[in-house]
Amino acid sequence: MNSWRGACGDFAGVDSVHVLGFTDRMPELLAAADVLVHSTGGVTCLEAMAAGTPVVSYGLPVGHARVNTRAMAALDLVRLANDTAELRDQVRASFSAAESAREVAAAAGEEPAAVDVVLGAPRRVRPIPRWRLRAVAIATQALLLVGLGTWIMSTDEVTAVAIRILRVQPLASVKTDRPDVSVIVRMPAADVPGVAALFAGRGVHLSFADDGRVPSPMTVASVRSLGDEVLPEVPGLAGLRWVRTRADLRSQARALGLRHRFYCLQPRGGLTVGQLVLARTAGATPVAGAIRVSATAPLPQRQTRAGDVLVVELDGSSASVTGLARIVSWLGSRGLAVEPLSWLTRSPSISASSSGERTSAAAPATSNASEAASGTPPRGVAAKLSPSSDSASVTGTTV
């Protein structure tokens, strides 16, 4: 305060000197000044440097202020004057430096502000459009859903759940009061007529399936003339072949003259969810069989009951045909006659079995007589007729 009053008195008559007291206009004063003479290297000097005003330090006090100022002078941040002569020289040098800086700036043009340089910096990474990010997210979710749905439809891990939801059980046996069983022979299509003729000649009538192939009209006519039948079959799994289940079953059904609802043999490993759903939409009821064996394998250890459906697999060799004859004789020794599936489901007192090891399955309805002759379950219960001779229904028939 005293120094301010002294300065006011010393320069009271000098018009070019203005002595200011406390002010909050320091940024404006420093920006307008050519040089700042200050006794320390404190915050005022930093403000001057920010404004681009040269700083001359003169009249250093003792203590840390002197140490700080000398350190700043060593870094060329301020000019240091130890006496009045050096003060005069340093002020003049500051004027010359400021003038040179202004000339260089004028020649080069006005430099952009730091904020403009930062905001105008080129992007190092090209931004991804938002619509593309959304499209990728939607596509990813769609792929996950498709992948999950494909897995569910292509696996048999959750088929049991689908069976409960659709309320359909693959047919394994039929409850009947007659001592009959049905044998479905799965074998190559080319060998079907010969095997059918061999066993029909000995009074044994069978159902046949040939790996889901569409049977030829000649094969169908030959088998039916012997009193046997050909069943549609769900093809085995091969990649995404299950998507053709409905088309394959419909093609076989048309070749066999079947309409609306009919039975079909399921693969050895069971149906996937996709096969089960598509088979049902095609009007087919799958047949699993109570026993499924190879004709050349040992005889089944499971007790066979009236109404059971047996699936026997043949490879067309003479050994497999002999094995089929052995199975028929084994059934006959237990007092069971062998009949095609359609005849078994038309036998009197028929009802679906739901107890023990038997799988419940109501017999679907048929639409006409041609379907009944082609392995199609009937609408109601009709008297059982022997297809060729009375010997076909005799208990204990052997080959």
Side-chain angles (χ1 to χ4, degrees), residues 174-182 305-308 335-337 339 343-344 346-350 358 382-386 390 392-395:
V174 175
K175 187 175 181 180
T176 179
D177 59 358
R178 298 184 62 97
D180 296 334
V181 295
S182 175
R305 304 179 180 90
D308 281 350
L336 298 173
E339 302 290 357
W343 301 337
L344 181 65
R346 291 201 307 273
S347 63
S349 303
I350 176 177
R358 300 182 180 183
K384 179 178 174 184
L385 301 177
S386 175
D390 294 338
S393 60
V394 176
T395 301

Side-chain angles (χ1 to χ4, degrees), residues 4-334:
W4 175 74
R5 290 178 179 177
C8 290
D10 293 340
F11 296 98
V14 182
D15 296 335
S16 59
V17 177
H18 298 276
V19 180
L20 302 177
F22 175 83
T23 179
D24 57 2
R25 301 178 62 190
M26 286 300 297
E28 299 176 26
L29 294 174
L30 291 173
D34 294 316
V35 64
L36 169 66
V37 179
H38 198 271
S39 60
T40 66
V43 177
T44 303
C45 293
L46 297 178
E47 291 179 329
M49 294 176 193
T53 303
V55 179
V56 177
S57 181
Y58 174 72
L60 297 178
V62 297
H64 70 279
R66 177 175 293 184
V67 177
N68 291 342
T69 302
R70 290 189 182 279
M72 294 175 68
L75 296 173
D76 294 330
L77 298 177
V78 299
R79 294 176 182 273
L80 182 60
N82 296 314
D83 52 33
T84 56
E86 291 184 4
L87 175 61
R88 187 182 299 110
D89 294 339
Q90 295 292 9
V91 170
R92 288 175 178 172
S94 299
F95 287 161
S96 300
E99 184 64 25
S100 299
R102 283 193 293 270
E103 291 176 357
V104 171
E110 185 179 359
E111 295 182 357
V115 65
D116 296 330
V117 175
V118 173
L119 295 178
R123 297 181 181 271
R124 295 184 180 181
V125 179
R126 185 176 181 181
I128 301 176
R130 183 173 298 179
W131 67 267
R132 184 176 297 177
L133 294 175
R134 291 180 178 176
V136 170
I138 295 174
T140 302
Q141 295 175 3
L143 288 176
L144 289 175
L145 291 175
V146 171
L148 179 61
T150 302
W151 175 82
I152 292 176
M153 299 296 282
S154 302
T155 183
D156 57 359
E157 298 294 335
V158 293
T159 303
V161 178
I163 287 175
R164 291 182 178 273
I165 295 175
L166 297 176
R167 296 182 179 180
V168 57
Q169 290 283 351
L171 181 67
S173 61
V174 175
K175 187 175 181 180
T176 179
D177 59 358
R178 298 184 62 97
D180 296 334
V181 295
S182 175
V183 174
I184 301 175
V185 180
R186 186 179 182 276
M187 62 182 303
D191 299 324
V192 169
V195 173
L198 175 63
F199 281 87
R202 300 175 184 181
V204 179
H205 297 277
L206 307 165
S207 299
F208 292 91
D210 58 356
D211 196 25
R213 293 179 176 85
V214 178
S216 65
M218 183 178 298
T219 299
V220 175
S222 175
V223 171
R224 286 180 178 172
S225 66
L226 297 170
D228 296 344
E229 65 180 356
V230 178
L231 289 179
E233 182 179 359
V234 178
L237 288 177
L240 295 178
R241 188 180 176 183
W242 62 267
V243 300
R244 291 187 48 82
T245 299
R246 177 185 172 89
D248 290 340
L249 288 177
R250 282 297 187 185
S251 298
Q252 296 177 66
R254 283 195 297 269
L256 296 172
L258 307 179
R259 299 178 182 177
H260 306 302
R261 303 176 67 184
F262 53 89
Y263 286 121
C264 67
L265 181 63
Q266 72 176 27
R268 170 181 285 274
L271 297 172
T272 66
V273 176
Q275 290 175 318
L276 179 64
V277 172
L278 293 178
R280 292 300 292 163
T281 60
T285 297
V287 178
I291 298 176
R292 186 161 187 156
V293 296
S294 171
T296 57
L299 293 173
Q301 298 299 318
R302 177 186 179 279
Q303 181 180 359
T304 307
R305 304 179 180 90
D308 281 350
V309 178
L310 285 73
V311 181
V312 182
E313 299 189 2
L314 275 67
D315 57 12
S317 64
S318 58
S320 63
V321 175
T322 302
L324 175 60
R326 179 167 51 94
I327 293 174
V328 172
S329 298
W330 172 71
L331 292 172
S333 66
R334 283 159 173 74

